[in-house]
Amino acid sequence: MTYAVDRVWEELAYVAYYLHWDLDKILDLEHPVRNRVIGEIGKIHTRFADES
């Protein structure tokens, strides 16, 4: 199964934007771990938005 290149770039940008990690550090994450990080960032973002 191949993973859409555009989707990978979306994930990279999302993590880089919120955590300020460099590209190599993000790419070193296994796909399931990267997805978990993205999910956790999303939860934090939603919680902060709800509090505002």
Side-chain angles (χ1 to χ4, degrees):
M1 173 186 206
T2 56
Y3 202 61
V5 174
D6 289 341
R7 179 65 184 155
V8 172
W9 278 107
E10 288 174 5
E11 292 177 359
L12 295 173
Y14 189 79
V15 174
Y17 179 81
Y18 282 100
L19 299 182
H20 309 283
W21 290 1
D22 62 46
L23 182 62
D24 289 334
K25 187 171 189 173
I26 301 166
L27 286 172
D28 283 343
L29 297 173
E30 294 291 327
H31 183 250
V33 174
R34 191 171 63 239
N35 276 342
R36 176 71 188 261
V37 170
I38 288 168
E40 295 301 321
I41 293 169
K43 288 181 199 174
I44 293 166
H45 181 72
T46 300
R47 187 171 60 236
F48 285 143
D50 290 345
E51 291 174 1
S52 297

